[in-house]
Amino acid sequence: MASLQDRNGTFRFIFRFRGKQHFVLIGKVSPEEAKAKAAYVDYLLLRLKQRLIDLPPGVDIVAFLQFDGRPPEGDVAKTVARALTLGKLRDRSLAARGEGREASTIKTGRIHFKHLVATLGESLLLAELTQSDLQRHIARRAKLGISATTIRKEVTTLRTAWHWAMDVGELTGEYPNKGLIYPKEDELPPYQTREEIERQVAAGSQTPDEVDALWEALYLRTHEIAELLAYVRENARHTWIYPLFCMAAHTGARRSELLAMRVADVDFEGGGVTIREKKRLKGKRSTRRAPLTPLLSEALREWLKVHPGGPTLFCHAAEVERSKKRSRTTGHKSGEDRPSSLMGRGATVERRGEVAPSSLTTDESQSHFRTTVKGSKWEVLKGLHTLRHSMISCLAAAGIDQRIIDDIVGHTSPEMQRRYRHLTPALKTQAVASVFGQGSLDRPVTPPRAGEAGRAAGSGGAPDG
């Protein structure tokens, strides 16, 4: 029996033939027409089962049903669905998804397809893709040390493109990802103070990757955050860097959220800032609101006095010396083909047109972060996300209600919430010592007299010890 499915007004039916599940796209038709088509598919499948009709040699069952049992002459096995390769699926699906999607999403998709193509090849016919092929990709990537989480995202990217191809009628059949086995992965280390990490690194028992993971889990305490911000204020090369650090440290905003902020998002009168989210609601743009602290408010007021203009909150001035995108000249050559003479190098250089102030790129923000902390004690910080970890950890250590923390920073994952639910080492030590400290060990325990235990139990109490 064929099962009719409505996907946002586009109908398709699902059926099984010779032990395999197949999908056939009907398209955007009326529900009555879709039901009539599904009923006729049931009829054809029944006739095939009763051997009253035969599937012509070399004819695909999906094509057979799409043409109401009368496929056109020729090699129907080489229909569009069977001719679709991995390379074509990559190009078509990314082009289709490009409209209305974030540039970073498309960029990530291209990276995932790059690794899939490296394993499976651009010319792989998707009609011939098997579970073994996907398992081979998982094994190759795991051998290179890639995490199970990243590999799973790559396989999911292909699944998303597969379903898109099914919806537009370019592909049929079920995505063969059932039963895939991914490598085991260690739980991420809990967020820790600098002293805790330095003691573990000094022990010398970690691999370089484990050391990197430890520093990724670094969080700064309140006095360390204040010290870092003071350092940045004195040493930042551009005026936007200090307020960016302050915003990250006092709101816990992610880097993508920081770069998307607009001047209009800052409400000094209301004492808050609107944060434009990208991760909390799938397929939707959402916002949350974080309070403005006095220090952050002061930093933003100073920055907006010299802001170069435009709607973006954090941006470069129109011209930035030695910048690939914003310097006054362009056309500089680099690499092996760079001319050796000064005249030859200058021949390709020309004056760049006027550059308007624009939002920072991800690469620019990370590059200036690294430049700002380079050579200082803060060089161990991996990026702006360390300030997010630190802000959340400080709130958790102060006993702030988890619901308030989640509302400020936009948490949705229980796993991430669990990583932040910790206290500073000193508070943990004090808590345990208050129960099992030296004084409790010295205090003698007096056993109950005969009959007292029973009376205590009967009254709902319990003896000490």
Side-chain angles (χ1 to χ4, degrees):
M1 294 287 291
S3 174
L4 191 63
Q5 189 177 64
D6 180 358
R7 295 167 68 101
N8 297 323
T10 299
F11 289 92
R12 66 176 184 173
F13 57 83
I14 308 169
F15 66 96
R16 296 191 72 82
F17 183 74
R18 294 175 181 173
K20 291 185 178 180
Q21 190 176 47
H22 300 273
F23 301 82
V24 174
L25 181 72
I26 301 176
K28 289 184 177 295
V29 298
S30 67
E32 292 75 19
E33 187 177 349
K35 290 177 182 177
K37 177 68 174 179
Y40 192 65
V41 167
D42 277 338
Y43 169 75
L44 290 175
L45 290 172
L46 179 61
R47 301 279 285 180
L48 287 169
K49 185 177 180 180
Q50 294 173 335
R51 298 183 183 274
L52 297 175
I53 59 175
D54 293 318
L55 185 66
V59 175
D60 181 64
I61 182 61
V62 174
F64 180 79
L65 296 175
Q66 280 179 326
F67 289 98
D68 294 336
R70 296 183 295 274
E73 297 290 333
D75 187 6
V76 186
K78 294 181 180 179
T79 57
V80 173
R82 284 193 171 275
L84 187 63
T85 64
L86 180 60
K88 290 179 181 178
L89 177 66
R90 173 199 60 203
D91 297 338
R92 293 175 186 174
S93 65
L94 290 176
R97 293 176 64 205
E99 298 180 6
R101 294 277 182 165
E102 299 288 347
S104 60
T105 301
I106 304 303
K107 180 180 179 181
T108 301
R110 292 193 181 282
I111 294 172
H112 289 172
F113 267 111
K114 175 184 175 182
H115 297 306
L116 289 162
V117 165
T119 303
L120 306 173
E122 280 201 12
S123 59
L124 172 74
L125 289 173
L126 292 173
E128 300 175 1
L129 180 69
T130 65
Q131 189 233 42
S132 298
D133 294 323
L134 294 176
Q135 193 64 61
R136 177 161 54 89
H137 174 71
I138 293 171
R140 185 184 77 84
R141 297 288 284 156
K143 192 174 181 180
L144 294 173
I146 308 303
S147 71
T149 301
T150 299
I151 302 173
R152 197 182 299 274
K153 289 179 180 178
E154 294 170 358
V155 174
T156 300
T157 292
L158 180 54
R159 184 190 66 187
T160 302
W162 182 289
H163 288 168
W164 168 85
M166 287 174 56
D167 288 341
V168 298
E170 293 197 16
L171 193 59
T172 61
E174 186 178 5
Y175 183 58
N177 65 329
K178 289 184 178 178
L180 292 176
I181 301 173
Y182 293 87
K184 287 186 177 181
E185 195 167 26
D186 294 332
E187 185 180 30
L188 292 173
Y191 292 110
Q192 302 170 62
T193 64
R194 184 177 188 132
E195 291 80 2
E196 289 178 294
I197 295 173
E198 287 176 340
R199 284 196 298 271
Q200 294 177 69
V201 173
S205 57
Q206 287 86 11
T207 65
D209 288 343
E210 289 172 336
V211 171
D212 281 343
L214 283 173
W215 286 116
E216 286 280 358
L218 169 69
Y219 79 89
L220 307 178
R221 287 165 288 189
T222 51
H223 69 278
E224 292 172 315
I225 294 173
E227 185 181 346
L228 167 65
L229 294 180
Y231 171 84
V232 172
R233 183 166 195 165
E234 293 296 322
N235 294 275
R237 295 184 179 181
H238 300 282
T239 49
W240 56 265
I241 295 178
Y242 172 64
L244 178 70
F245 269 73
C246 290
M247 183 70 80
H250 283 212
T251 67
R254 301 175 178 91
R255 180 174 63 186
S256 60
E257 296 167 343
L258 294 166
L259 301 186
M261 285 182 178
R262 302 173 186 174
V263 175
D265 293 334
V266 181
D267 180 10
F268 289 111
E269 235 177 273
V273 58
T274 299
I275 299 175
R276 301 171 184 274
E277 300 174 316
K278 293 185 178 182
K279 293 189 174 184
R280 186 163 59 89
L281 299 178
K282 187 176 182 181
K284 294 184 179 179
R285 294 187 177 94
S286 59
T287 62
R288 67 179 186 273
R289 191 170 173 85
L292 283 175
T293 64
L295 183 143
L296 176 57
S297 181
E298 180 188 357
L300 290 174
R301 288 182 187 277
E302 290 182 5
W303 159 236
L304 290 176
K305 289 178 183 178
V306 295
H307 190 279
T312 306
L313 180 58
F314 301 111
C315 59
H316 261 306
E319 188 176 287
V320 180
E321 187 180 356
R322 301 183 66 83
S323 168
K324 290 183 179 180
K325 293 177 60 178
R326 308 176 196 272
S327 63
R328 62 173 62 92
T329 55
T330 186
H332 298 271
K333 292 286 187 180
S334 60
E336 296 180 357
D337 60 341
R338 183 187 183 193
S340 57
S341 67
L342 185 62
M343 182 178 293
R345 291 198 295 271
T348 59
V349 178
E350 58 185 30
R351 180 83 180 178
R352 191 192 299 270
E354 184 177 350
V355 182
S358 59
S359 58
L360 301 170
T361 66
T362 299
D363 290 340
E364 283 177 328
S365 66
Q366 181 64 8
S367 173
H368 285 288
F369 179 93
R370 300 305 319 158
T371 301
T372 302
V373 300
K374 186 177 181 180
S376 71
K377 62 181 287 187
W378 311 110
E379 196 168 17
V380 295
L381 274 60
K382 293 295 184 180
L384 288 168
H385 62 271
T386 301
L387 297 177
R388 173 177 170 83
H389 301 167
S390 302
M391 186 262 197
I392 300 169
S393 298
C394 290
L395 292 177
I400 303 300
D401 191 306
Q402 185 67 44
R403 293 169 296 180
I404 296 177
I405 298 176
D406 293 345
D407 185 63
I408 293 174
V409 301
H411 272 158
T412 56
S413 166
E415 181 183 357
M416 289 306 297
Q417 291 170 346
R418 189 166 56 252
R419 287 191 74 198
Y420 287 117
R421 286 174 184 164
H422 61 78
L423 299 173
T424 59
L427 291 177
K428 290 180 182 179
T429 302
Q430 293 172 12
V432 175
S434 67
V435 178
F436 298 104
Q438 186 62 38
S440 65
L441 296 179
D442 293 340
R443 187 172 63 248
V445 177
T446 304
R449 297 177 182 176
E452 287 185 356
R455 289 195 298 272
S459 63
D464 290 338

